[in-house]
């Protein structure tokens, strides 16, 4: 469709359109979105953060006043919109995970959503799902308070989407249609990444299995009718989990891309790209010719093949650098095999943080 706002910046337009898409389930107001976008300097990431934060602060302030006056519906609706606006504010800060503005906006988004969740009937219940010595944050949506077992959707987002945003992406729609819904943030997703430094892992079955374990203990869940729904990058992770977690009755992968690797490599400037724009393939196993990939193939301690993007890591040290020195104990997979070393909850931490106001000159890198 035509870019109605930010005509020269597809990223800013896409993220604006993303907020507009949440209008249907109360995550945005068209006038608030447009008026915020008009104040943003196109291509200026600091401006994006500042203006969305200002809108979120104003709307959340109004919601707090409404709640204090006993206007629960107005307060609930205001908190929902503010939660989404805070999420939008911190979106382009994902390239700077230690920027204090990142945590500030994220935490405010969660606070506002939980304030709204308490005002629903039945309430949307925050849950903590046991996972490898810690917990994963999530929410339980019930159709009613009867405790009747119902078909259940387990939902997770992808790289930049939050468990809270899933309210607008299908959680509330599922409840309206008679489903119990359990949403969560897995390792690498905003909640665990912000507060525990947990990063993504490819053996996603070792994330989903504890969630299914948790769900099966809930009276509102029909254990024979549990479906897994993955959104965005989660639509790439979810099929992997479903291949090993056989208690799932159905899988929905809403990733938007048929092949994430092909799409990524087609736009990569890295050497080794084929003339057609697709990724160069490695040589046959019996070939001694070195691969032309700029991302060399290496062997993990567990014997599995991994891809180390050394050219990227050499210039971008930090949380996304592939682990090289830590070899934690393998964790059993659902199929009885040993999982690779990455399965033992790798973490990344920020050594120090300043106050949000002290880093307002830091320019975030564009999001994916």
């Amino acid at each position: 469709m035509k870019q109605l706002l930010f005509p020269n910046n597809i990223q800013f337009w896409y993220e604006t359109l993303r907020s507009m898409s949440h209008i249907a389930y109360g995550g945005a107001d068209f006038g608030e979105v447009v008026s915020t976008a008009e104040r943003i300097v196109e291509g200026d990431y600091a401006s994006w953060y500042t203006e969305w934060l200002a809108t979120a602060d104003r709307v959340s302030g109004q919601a707090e006043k409404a709640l204090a006056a006993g206007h629960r519906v107005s307060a609930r609706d205001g908190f929902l919109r503010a939660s989404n606006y805070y999420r939008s504010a911190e979106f382009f800060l994902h390239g700077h995970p230690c920027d204090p503005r990142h945590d500030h906006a994220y935490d405010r988004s969660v606070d506002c959503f939980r304030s709204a969740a308490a005002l629903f009937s039945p309430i949307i219940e925050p849950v903590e799902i046991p996972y490898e010595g810690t917990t994963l944050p999530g929410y339980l949506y019930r159709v009613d308070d009867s405790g009747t077992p119902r078909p259940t959707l387990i939902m997770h987002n992808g790289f930049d989407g939050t468990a809270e945003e899933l309210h607008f992406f299908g959680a509330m729609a599922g409840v309206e249609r008679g489903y119990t819904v359990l949403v969560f943030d897995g390792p690498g997703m905003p909640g665990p990444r912000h507060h525990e430094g947990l990063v993504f892992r490819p053996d996603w079955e070792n994330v989903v299995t504890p969630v299914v374990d948790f769900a099966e203990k809930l009276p509102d869940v029909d254990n024979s009718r549990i479906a897994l729904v993955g959104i965005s990058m989660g639509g790439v992770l979810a099929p992997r989990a479903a291949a090993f977690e056989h208690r799932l009755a159905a899988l929905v992968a809403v990733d938007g891309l048929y092949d994430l690797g092909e799409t990524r490599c087609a736009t990569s400037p890295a050497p080794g790209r084929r003339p057609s724009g697709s990724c160069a393939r490695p040589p046959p196993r019996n070939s001694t010719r070195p691969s032309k990939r700029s991302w060399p193939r290496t062997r993990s301690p567990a014997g599995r093949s991994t891809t180390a993007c050394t050219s990227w890591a050499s210039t971008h040290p930090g949380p996304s650098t592939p682990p090289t020195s830590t070899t934690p104990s393998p964790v059993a997979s659902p199929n009885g095999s040993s999982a690779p070393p990455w399965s033992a909850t790798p973490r990344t931490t920020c050594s120090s943080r300043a106050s949000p106001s002290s880093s307002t000159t830091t320019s975030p890198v564009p999001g994916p």
Side-chain angles (χ1 to χ4, degrees):
M1 67 178 289
K2 179 181 179 181
Q3 290 178 224
L4 305 178
L5 299 164
F6 305 114
N8 300 309
N9 193 303
I10 189 65
Q11 288 183 322
F12 276 28
W13 166 240
Y14 180 84
E15 287 307 308
T16 302
L17 195 61
R18 179 174 179 169
S19 281
M20 288 181 179
S21 72
H22 296 336
I23 291 174
Y25 280 93
D29 172 85
F30 183 81
E32 290 170 346
V33 172
V34 172
S35 64
T36 303
E38 286 182 334
R39 301 195 307 268
I40 295 172
V41 178
E42 187 169 8
D44 186 327
Y45 298 104
S47 174
W48 176 276
Y49 173 85
T50 299
E51 298 305 336
W52 276 114
L53 191 75
T55 297
D57 285 343
R58 178 178 61 80
V59 174
S60 65
Q62 292 173 344
E64 289 166 1
K65 291 178 180 178
L67 184 60
H71 304 306
R72 293 170 58 87
V73 173
S74 296
R76 180 198 65 193
D77 293 351
F79 284 130
L80 271 184
R81 300 200 312 279
S83 173
N84 182 44
Y85 298 157
Y86 281 120
R87 179 206 58 78
S88 188
E90 56 96 22
F91 178 82
F92 288 111
L93 288 168
H94 289 298
H96 289 269
C98 294
D99 188 321
R101 295 176 298 170
H102 199 203
D103 279 350
H104 171 70
Y106 171 75
D107 289 342
R108 286 295 296 143
S109 177
V110 173
D111 289 344
C112 286
F113 184 82
R114 293 194 173 193
S115 294
L119 298 172
F120 278 84
S121 181
I123 66 168
I124 300 169
E125 180 184 352
V127 296
E128 298 291 334
I129 302 170
Y131 168 77
E132 295 191 0
T134 184
T135 58
L136 302 176
Y139 299 92
L140 177 63
Y141 291 73
R142 297 180 175 91
V143 174
D144 53 37
D145 293 321
S146 67
T148 302
R150 300 178 185 274
T152 299
L153 302 178
I154 294 177
M155 301 180 66
H156 62 71
N157 224 314
F159 170 69
D160 55 75
T162 63
E164 291 75 23
E165 190 185 14
L166 287 170
H167 179 93
F168 319 113
F169 269 148
M172 200 64 205
V175 173
E176 290 179 341
R177 290 158 176 81
Y179 290 88
T180 296
V181 180
L182 177 63
V183 305
F184 74 97
D185 273 346
M189 295 172 183
R193 187 175 71 244
H194 275 280
H195 294 299
E196 297 192 61
L198 298 184
V199 298
F200 281 107
R201 55 190 294 176
D203 55 336
W204 202 246
E205 66 276 13
N206 285 302
V207 176
V208 169
T209 288
V211 180
V212 176
D213 291 342
F214 179 85
E216 285 194 329
K217 298 174 183 177
L218 300 172
D220 309 270
V221 174
D222 180 342
N223 295 347
S224 67
R225 294 190 290 173
I226 299 176
L228 178 64
V229 183
I231 307 293
S232 190
M233 180 177 164
V236 179
L237 295 169
R240 160 74 193 212
F244 294 94
E245 180 44 79
H246 301 301
R247 290 173 293 177
L248 297 172
L251 167 70
V252 181
V254 189
D255 57 3
L257 302 171
Y258 180 75
D259 185 334
L260 181 62
E262 188 80 5
T263 302
R264 176 60 177 162
C265 291
T267 58
S268 172
R273 215 175 73 191
R274 287 148 57 109
S276 64
S278 59
C279 296
R281 293 186 174 87
R285 287 181 180 272
N286 60 357
S287 171
T288 58
R289 177 176 60 86
S291 170
K292 292 184 179 180
R293 286 179 180 266
S294 62
W295 302 345
R297 304 293 291 184
T298 61
R299 303 298 293 183
S300 71
R304 291 198 179 190
S305 178
T306 61
T307 301
C309 185
T310 54
S311 61
W312 183 92
S314 63
T315 56
H316 296 74
S320 298
T321 304
T324 56
S325 60
T326 303
T327 310
S329 302
V331 178
S333 294
N335 61 359
S337 64
S338 292
W342 57 63
S343 64
T345 57
R347 300 168 187 262
T348 181
T349 59
C350 297
S351 58
S352 63
R353 296 185 187 273
S355 63
S357 60
S358 66
S359 63
T360 53
T361 57
T362 303
S363 297
V365 295

